[in-house]
Amino acid sequence: MRRGEAVARSDGQPIWIATNHGAIGGGEVMLLRIAEALQELDRDVTIVAPSHPPTLAEAARELGLDVEVLDSHDRVTWMFALRRWRRRHPDGLLWCNGIVPSTATAGLRRRIVHLHQYPTGLNRLFARLARTHALAMPVPSYDMARAIPGSCVLPNWTVRFSPSTRQRADGEPFVVGFLGRLGADKGVHVLAEAMGELERRYPGQFRLRLAGESRFVDRRSAALVNDALDAVEELTDRVGWAEPQHLLDTVDVLAVPSLAPEPFGLVAAEAMVARVPVVVTDAGGLPEVVGEGHGLVVKAGDVGALADQLAALAFGDVDADLDAQAERWETEFSPDAGRERLARLLERVEQTVPVR
């Protein structure tokens, strides 16, 4: 154990982590990191997951985690199965990783309700219901906490990435990277327009390296993004889904041009540890990730401001301060930092309400 060794240790109480669904998205990535951190804290932890799809359960087993699979084939059957299971297994602490397990077990005791997305529409009601008798309601940023009364902040964390191997040769275009879902909420069309603006100003000096898929993107959003990307097709290398390290080894800057409020911004933190400059918008929790005083924050949706910032980086007019960026990651978003915060949260919860 490294930093903060004198934190909460197990007294034999089990911790069950119930997933939002059986696929793997950003919330499920954090679920696996939380489970691994709990193991490192000598906690007895088990993942509770649906039988369909089996992706998350399989990934958890590959990491050596214990898994309890409940027979279910869609969201409704998963919610009913989870509630029945919890009534039969009331012992220990149930960590509800997302709005679905939180709603399914609303009103039951000995729960932590961990939300990863801003609740909108009907989910606002579900979030209020889920809070009933919850021991704590962690969310990943202060911006999100302000939107959810009664919540507390448990920032996400990332694995440690190696410093980027990218070395731009003289005369080579400045490569702007993007990694994420190819939807309008992620601002991909705004980034495409900014690339078009850069091409008009500085012909041949910028390229876009786009990694991601249109998974979970509605038709209207996909059409908007695709039309914008078609306009800069000659400037764009579309690589499909890519491992973050691979992308970060091939770009000069990472752009996070989100329009919709981001609960956190894992990809920005990943760029920080890989020592890749990162330009973010002011959407949601993104400015919290890069930190106060970070000079590379632009107004969401402002094509000209995004183009200006990318150009300033390319031509050396601003300093990304990669040392400070990496130091901030180490202090705030490393596995050590995440494990310490997790331990403190459990300590507070279990001192207030013993979980037995």
Side-chain angles (χ1 to χ4, degrees), residues 255-310:
V256 188
S258 301
L259 298 183
E262 291 285 358
F264 183 72
L266 274 175
V267 69
E270 290 167 346
M272 290 166 68
V273 63
R275 304 179 69 84
V276 173
V278 55
V279 175
V280 304
T281 68
D282 58 1
L286 284 172
E288 292 179 41
V289 176
V290 296
E292 186 177 353
H294 184 80
L296 305 178
V297 180
V298 300
K299 184 175 178 58
D302 191 329
V303 173
L306 180 56
D308 289 345
Q309 196 65 268
L310 294 172

Coordinates of all heavy atoms in Angstrom, one line a residue, residues 255-310:
A255 N -8.3 17.1 -28.0 CA -9.5 18.1 -27.9 C -10.6 17.4 -27.3 O -11.0 16.2 -27.7 CB -9.8 18.6 -29.3
V256 N -11.3 18.0 -26.3 CA -12.5 17.5 -25.6 C -13.5 18.6 -25.8 O -13.7 19.4 -24.9 CB -12.2 17.2 -24.1 CG1 -13.5 16.5 -23.5 CG2 -11.0 16.3 -24.0
P257 N -14.2 18.7 -26.9 CA -15.0 19.8 -27.3 C -16.5 19.7 -26.9 O -17.4 20.2 -27.5 CB -14.9 19.8 -28.8 CG -14.8 18.4 -29.2 CD -14.1 17.7 -28.1
S258 N -16.8 19.0 -25.8 CA -18.1 18.7 -25.4 C -19.0 19.9 -25.3 O -18.6 21.0 -24.9 CB -18.1 18.0 -24.0 OG -17.3 16.8 -24.1
L259 N -20.3 19.7 -25.7 CA -21.3 20.7 -25.6 C -22.2 20.4 -24.3 O -22.5 21.3 -23.6 CB -22.2 20.7 -26.8 CG -21.6 21.0 -28.1 CD1 -22.6 21.1 -29.3 CD2 -20.8 22.4 -28.1
A260 N -22.6 19.1 -24.2 CA -23.4 18.8 -23.0 C -22.5 18.7 -21.8 O -21.3 18.4 -21.9 CB -24.1 17.4 -23.2
P261 N -23.0 19.1 -20.6 CA -22.2 19.0 -19.4 C -21.6 17.6 -19.2 O -22.3 16.6 -19.2 CB -23.2 19.4 -18.3 CG -24.2 20.2 -19.0 CD -24.4 19.5 -20.3
E262 N -20.3 17.6 -18.9 CA -19.6 16.3 -18.7 C -19.6 16.1 -17.1 O -19.1 17.0 -16.4 CB -18.2 16.4 -19.2 CG -18.1 16.3 -20.7 CD -18.4 14.9 -21.3 OE1 -18.7 14.0 -20.5 OE2 -18.4 14.8 -22.5
P263 N -20.0 15.0 -16.7 CA -19.9 14.7 -15.2 C -18.5 14.7 -14.7 O -18.2 15.1 -13.6 CB -20.5 13.3 -15.1 CG -21.4 13.1 -16.3 CD -20.7 13.9 -17.4
F264 N -17.6 14.3 -15.6 CA -16.1 14.3 -15.2 C -15.3 14.6 -16.4 O -15.0 15.8 -16.7 CB -15.8 13.0 -14.6 CG -14.4 12.9 -14.1 CD1 -14.0 13.6 -13.0 CD2 -13.4 12.2 -14.7 CE1 -12.7 13.6 -12.5 CE2 -12.1 12.1 -14.3 CZ -11.7 12.9 -13.2
G265 N -14.9 13.6 -17.2 CA -14.0 13.8 -18.3 C -12.8 12.9 -18.2 O -11.7 13.4 -18.1
L266 N -13.0 11.6 -18.2 CA -11.9 10.7 -18.1 C -10.8 10.8 -19.1 O -9.6 10.8 -18.8 CB -12.4 9.2 -18.1 CG -12.9 8.6 -16.8 CD1 -13.5 7.2 -17.1 CD2 -11.8 8.5 -15.8
V267 N -11.2 11.1 -20.4 CA -10.2 11.2 -21.4 C -9.3 12.4 -21.2 O -8.1 12.3 -21.6 CB -11.0 11.2 -22.8 CG1 -11.7 12.6 -23.0 CG2 -10.0 11.0 -23.9
A268 N -9.8 13.4 -20.6 CA -8.9 14.6 -20.3 C -7.9 14.2 -19.3 O -6.7 14.5 -19.4 CB -9.7 15.8 -19.8
A269 N -8.3 13.4 -18.2 CA -7.3 13.0 -17.2 C -6.3 12.0 -17.8 O -5.1 12.0 -17.4 CB -8.1 12.3 -16.1
E270 N -6.8 11.2 -18.8 CA -5.8 10.3 -19.4 C -4.8 11.0 -20.2 O -3.6 10.7 -20.2 CB -6.6 9.3 -20.3 CG -7.4 8.3 -19.5 CD -8.5 7.6 -20.4 OE1 -8.7 8.0 -21.5 OE2 -9.0 6.6 -19.9
A271 N -5.2 12.1 -20.9 CA -4.2 12.9 -21.6 C -3.2 13.6 -20.6 O -2.0 13.7 -20.9 CB -4.9 14.0 -22.4
M272 N -3.7 14.0 -19.5 CA -2.8 14.6 -18.5 C -1.7 13.7 -18.1 O -0.5 14.2 -18.0 CB -3.7 15.1 -17.3 CG -4.6 16.2 -17.6 SD -5.9 16.5 -16.4 CE -4.9 17.1 -15.0
V273 N -2.0 12.5 -17.7 CA -0.9 11.6 -17.3 C 0.0 11.2 -18.4 O 1.2 10.9 -18.2 CB -1.5 10.3 -16.6 CG1 -2.4 9.5 -17.5 CG2 -0.4 9.5 -15.9
A274 N -0.5 11.1 -19.7 CA 0.3 10.8 -20.8 C 1.1 12.0 -21.3 O 1.8 11.9 -22.3 CB -0.6 10.2 -21.9
R275 N 1.0 13.1 -20.6 CA 1.7 14.3 -21.0 C 1.4 14.8 -22.4 O 2.3 15.2 -23.2 CB 3.2 14.1 -20.8 CG 3.6 13.7 -19.4 CD 5.1 13.5 -19.2 NE 5.8 14.7 -19.3 CZ 6.0 15.6 -18.3 NH1 5.5 15.3 -17.1 NH2 6.7 16.7 -18.4
V276 N 0.1 14.8 -22.7 CA -0.4 15.3 -24.0 C -1.2 16.6 -23.7 O -2.1 16.5 -22.8 CB -1.2 14.3 -24.7 CG1 -1.9 14.9 -26.0 CG2 -0.4 13.1 -25.1
P277 N -0.9 17.7 -24.3 CA -1.7 18.9 -24.0 C -3.2 18.6 -24.3 O -3.5 17.8 -25.2 CB -1.2 19.9 -25.1 CG 0.2 19.4 -25.4 CD 0.2 17.9 -25.3
V278 N -4.1 19.1 -23.5 CA -5.5 18.9 -23.6 C -6.3 20.2 -23.6 O -6.1 21.0 -22.7 CB -6.0 17.9 -22.5 CG1 -5.7 18.4 -21.1 CG2 -7.5 17.6 -22.7
V279 N -7.1 20.4 -24.6 CA -8.0 21.5 -24.7 C -9.4 21.0 -24.4 O -9.9 20.1 -25.0 CB -7.9 22.2 -26.1 CG1 -9.0 23.3 -26.2 CG2 -6.6 22.7 -26.4
V280 N -10.1 21.7 -23.4 CA -11.4 21.3 -23.0 C -12.3 22.5 -23.1 O -11.9 23.6 -23.2 CB -11.4 20.7 -21.6 CG1 -10.5 19.6 -21.4 CG2 -11.1 21.8 -20.6
T281 N -13.6 22.2 -23.1 CA -14.6 23.2 -23.1 C -15.0 23.4 -21.6 O -14.6 22.7 -20.7 CB -15.9 22.9 -23.9 OG1 -16.6 21.8 -23.3 CG2 -15.5 22.6 -25.3
D282 N -15.9 24.4 -21.4 CA -16.3 24.7 -20.0 C -17.6 23.9 -19.7 O -18.4 24.3 -18.8 CB -16.6 26.2 -19.8 CG -17.6 26.8 -20.8 OD1 -18.1 26.0 -21.6 OD2 -17.8 28.0 -20.8
A283 N -17.8 22.8 -20.3 CA -19.1 22.0 -20.1 C -19.0 21.1 -18.9 O -18.1 20.2 -18.9 CB -19.4 21.2 -21.4
G284 N -19.8 21.4 -17.9 CA -19.8 20.6 -16.7 C -18.6 20.5 -15.9 O -18.0 21.6 -15.6
G285 N -18.1 19.3 -15.6 CA -16.9 19.1 -14.8 C -15.6 19.2 -15.5 O -14.6 19.0 -14.8
L286 N -15.6 19.4 -16.8 CA -14.3 19.4 -17.5 C -13.3 20.4 -16.9 O -12.1 20.1 -16.7 CB -14.5 19.7 -19.0 CG -15.0 18.5 -19.8 CD1 -15.4 19.0 -21.2 CD2 -14.0 17.4 -19.8
P287 N -13.6 21.7 -16.6 CA -12.7 22.6 -16.0 C -12.1 22.1 -14.7 O -11.0 22.4 -14.3 CB -13.4 23.9 -15.9 CG -14.5 23.8 -16.9 CD -14.9 22.4 -16.9
E288 N -12.9 21.4 -13.9 CA -12.4 20.8 -12.6 C -11.3 19.8 -12.9 O -10.4 19.7 -12.1 CB -13.6 20.1 -11.9 CG -14.6 21.0 -11.4 CD -15.7 20.3 -10.6 OE1 -15.4 19.3 -9.9 OE2 -16.9 20.6 -10.8
V289 N -11.4 19.1 -14.0 CA -10.4 18.0 -14.2 C -9.0 18.7 -14.5 O -8.0 18.3 -13.9 CB -10.8 17.1 -15.4 CG1 -9.7 16.1 -15.7 CG2 -12.1 16.4 -15.0
V290 N -9.0 19.6 -15.4 CA -7.8 20.3 -15.8 C -7.3 21.2 -14.7 O -6.1 21.5 -14.7 CB -7.9 21.0 -17.2 CG1 -8.2 20.0 -18.3 CG2 -8.9 22.1 -17.2
G291 N -8.2 21.8 -13.9 CA -7.8 22.6 -12.8 C -7.8 24.0 -13.0 O -7.7 24.5 -14.2
E292 N -8.0 24.8 -11.9 CA -8.0 26.2 -12.0 C -6.7 26.8 -12.5 O -5.6 26.3 -12.2 CB -8.3 26.8 -10.6 CG -8.5 28.3 -10.5 CD -8.8 28.8 -9.2 OE1 -9.0 27.9 -8.2 OE2 -8.9 30.0 -9.0
G293 N -6.8 27.7 -13.4 CA -5.6 28.3 -14.0 C -5.1 27.6 -15.3 O -4.2 28.1 -15.9
H294 N -5.7 26.5 -15.6 CA -5.4 25.8 -16.9 C -5.8 26.7 -18.0 O -7.0 27.1 -18.2 CB -6.1 24.5 -17.0 CG -5.8 23.6 -18.1 ND1 -4.6 22.9 -18.2 CD2 -6.4 23.4 -19.3 CE1 -4.6 22.3 -19.4 NE2 -5.6 22.6 -20.1
G295 N -4.9 27.1 -18.9 CA -5.2 28.1 -19.9 C -5.8 27.6 -21.1 O -6.0 28.3 -22.1
L296 N -6.2 26.3 -21.2 CA -6.7 25.7 -22.4 C -8.2 25.3 -22.3 O -8.6 24.2 -22.7 CB -5.8 24.5 -22.8 CG -4.3 24.8 -22.9 CD1 -3.6 23.5 -23.2 CD2 -4.1 25.8 -23.9
V297 N -9.0 26.2 -21.7 CA -10.4 26.0 -21.6 C -11.1 27.0 -22.5 O -10.9 28.2 -22.4 CB -10.9 26.1 -20.1 CG1 -12.4 25.9 -20.0 CG2 -10.2 25.2 -19.2
V298 N -12.0 26.5 -23.3 CA -12.8 27.4 -24.2 C -14.3 27.2 -24.0 O -14.7 26.2 -23.4 CB -12.4 27.1 -25.7 CG1 -11.0 27.3 -26.0 CG2 -12.9 25.7 -26.1
K299 N -15.0 28.2 -24.4 CA -16.5 28.2 -24.3 C -17.1 27.1 -25.2 O -16.7 27.0 -26.3 CB -17.1 29.5 -24.6 CG -18.6 29.6 -24.4 CD -19.1 31.0 -24.7 CE -20.6 31.1 -24.5 NZ -21.0 30.6 -23.2
A300 N -17.9 26.3 -24.6 CA -18.5 25.2 -25.4 C -19.3 25.7 -26.6 O -20.1 26.7 -26.4 CB -19.5 24.4 -24.5
G301 N -19.1 25.2 -27.7 CA -19.7 25.5 -28.9 C -19.1 26.7 -29.7 O -19.6 27.0 -30.8
D302 N -18.0 27.3 -29.2 CA -17.4 28.4 -29.8 C -16.3 27.9 -30.8 O -15.2 27.6 -30.4 CB -16.8 29.3 -28.8 CG -16.3 30.7 -29.4 OD1 -15.9 30.7 -30.5 OD2 -16.3 31.7 -28.6
V303 N -16.7 27.8 -32.1 CA -15.8 27.2 -33.1 C -14.5 28.1 -33.2 O -13.4 27.6 -33.2 CB -16.5 27.2 -34.5 CG1 -15.5 26.8 -35.6 CG2 -17.6 26.2 -34.4
G304 N -14.7 29.4 -33.3 CA -13.5 30.3 -33.4 C -12.5 30.2 -32.2 O -11.3 30.1 -32.4
A305 N -13.1 30.1 -31.0 CA -12.2 30.0 -29.8 C -11.5 28.7 -29.8 O -10.3 28.7 -29.4 CB -13.1 30.2 -28.6
L306 N -12.1 27.6 -30.2 CA -11.4 26.3 -30.3 C -10.3 26.4 -31.3 O -9.2 25.9 -31.0 CB -12.5 25.2 -30.6 CG -11.9 23.8 -30.7 CD1 -11.2 23.4 -29.4 CD2 -13.1 22.8 -31.0
A307 N -10.6 26.9 -32.5 CA -9.6 27.0 -33.5 C -8.4 27.9 -33.0 O -7.2 27.5 -33.3 CB -10.2 27.6 -34.8
D308 N -8.7 29.0 -32.4 CA -7.7 29.9 -31.9 C -6.8 29.1 -30.9 O -5.5 29.3 -30.9 CB -8.3 31.1 -31.2 CG -8.9 32.1 -32.2 OD1 -8.7 31.9 -33.4 OD2 -9.7 32.9 -31.7
Q309 N -7.4 28.4 -30.0 CA -6.6 27.7 -29.0 C -5.7 26.6 -29.6 O -4.5 26.5 -29.2 CB -7.5 27.1 -27.9 CG -6.8 26.7 -26.6 CD -6.3 27.9 -25.9 OE1 -5.1 28.3 -26.0 NE2 -7.1 28.5 -25.0
L310 N -6.2 25.9 -30.5 CA -5.4 24.8 -31.2 C -4.3 25.5 -32.0 O -3.2 24.9 -31.9 CB -6.3 24.0 -32.1 CG -7.4 23.2 -31.4 CD1 -8.4 22.6 -32.4 CD2 -6.8 22.1 -30.5

